[in-house]
Amino acid sequence: MESLGSRIKQLRLRAKLNKAALARKVGVSDVTISYWESGAIKQIGHERLVALADALDCSLATLLEGDSAPELLTLTHTGPLPWEQVQATKIRVPNHLPMTIDWKAPCVMTTPGPDTDFSPATTGDLLLLGPTHVFHKAGHYVVQRDDRFVIEHFAKAPSDTAIHAVLLAHWHPA
C-alpha cells in the first residue's frame, strides 16, 4: 500500500511543483513538506489536507487513497444510505488522519447531494462517515427524522432516535 508521503511527492511532481512552491500554496514551510513526504510527520490535520489537495489540484479522496480512490458517494435525505448502495466502496480510516473516535471498522467518504441540508455540512463538503447503530461519544450522527436522513449533534446517547452513522471527519473546501 502506497504511503501518504509518497502520494504527496508523486502528486507534487505531477503538478510540476517544487517543495518550496507547494509549501507556499499550503501555508507551511518546505521542511514540513519534506517531513510529510518522508513520513517523518505521519498525521496531518484536516485543514492542511484540504489545502494540500487544493494545491496539488486533486481531490481529497485521491490524496488519501491514490488514483484508485473509490467513486465519491452522495448523501441524500431519502433512499438508500451511501454505504447501502451497490457501488459503495468502503475504506479503512487512513492512519495519518487524526481522529476523535478510535474507528477501526470500514467507513465511506461522501458528500451532501445538491439541494440538501445536512448542517453543519453543505454541498461540496467531504464527509467521512462510519456506518453504525451505536452511540460512541458526543458528536454528529446521521439519523432518520420523519422519513428523512439528517445530521444531528448528540452529547449523550439518544433514547428515541435510531443512529445510522457517526461523522468521523468533515472537510469544507476553502
Side-chain angles (χ1 to χ4, degrees), residues 6-68:
S6 62
R7 262 192 312 281
I8 292 170
K9 183 175 182 177
Q10 174 189 19
L11 291 166
R12 176 178 60 78
L13 295 173
R14 185 187 301 173
K16 296 182 170 80
L17 295 170
N18 62 31
K19 291 177 186 175
L22 179 58
R24 281 192 300 277
K25 286 182 164 222
V26 177
V28 297
S29 71
D30 54 339
V31 172
T32 298
I33 300 293
S34 292
Y35 285 158
W36 288 345
E37 289 184 358
S38 71
I41 296 177
K42 296 195 183 315
Q43 291 193 340
I44 303 173
H46 298 109
E47 295 80 20
R48 292 288 188 229
L49 286 170
V50 171
L52 195 53
D54 186 49
L56 293 169
D57 195 28
C58 70
S59 70
L60 189 57
T62 299
L63 178 62
L64 295 175
E65 292 291 314
D67 288 328
S68 62

Side-chain angles (χ1 to χ4, degrees), residues 66-67 83 97 102 169:
D67 288 328
W83 49 93
L97 282 179
D102 186 25

Side-chain angles (χ1 to χ4, degrees), residues 72-156:
L72 189 59
L73 303 170
T74 303
L75 182 62
T76 58
H77 291 296
T78 59
L81 290 162
W83 49 93
E84 296 170 342
Q85 297 170 16
V86 174
Q87 77 276 17
T89 301
K90 293 182 180 176
I91 61 173
R92 292 273 176 200
V93 175
N95 60 2
H96 46 267
L97 282 179
M99 305 296 290
T100 57
I101 295 175
D102 186 25
W103 192 261
K104 301 292 185 209
C107 55
V108 294
M109 193 170 291
T110 186
T111 187
D115 303 319
T116 60
D117 180 15
F118 282 100
S119 297
T122 59
T123 302
D125 290 4
L126 288 176
L127 307 174
L128 188 63
L129 297 174
T132 185
H133 294 290
V134 177
F135 177 83
H136 293 271
K137 64 187 298 188
H140 288 88
Y141 290 83
V142 175
V143 298
Q144 192 167 2
R145 294 273 185 221
D146 301 324
D147 298 330
R148 288 173 49 93
F149 294 108
V150 296
I151 294 178
E152 289 187 13
H153 185 272
F154 293 107
K156 60 181 184 170

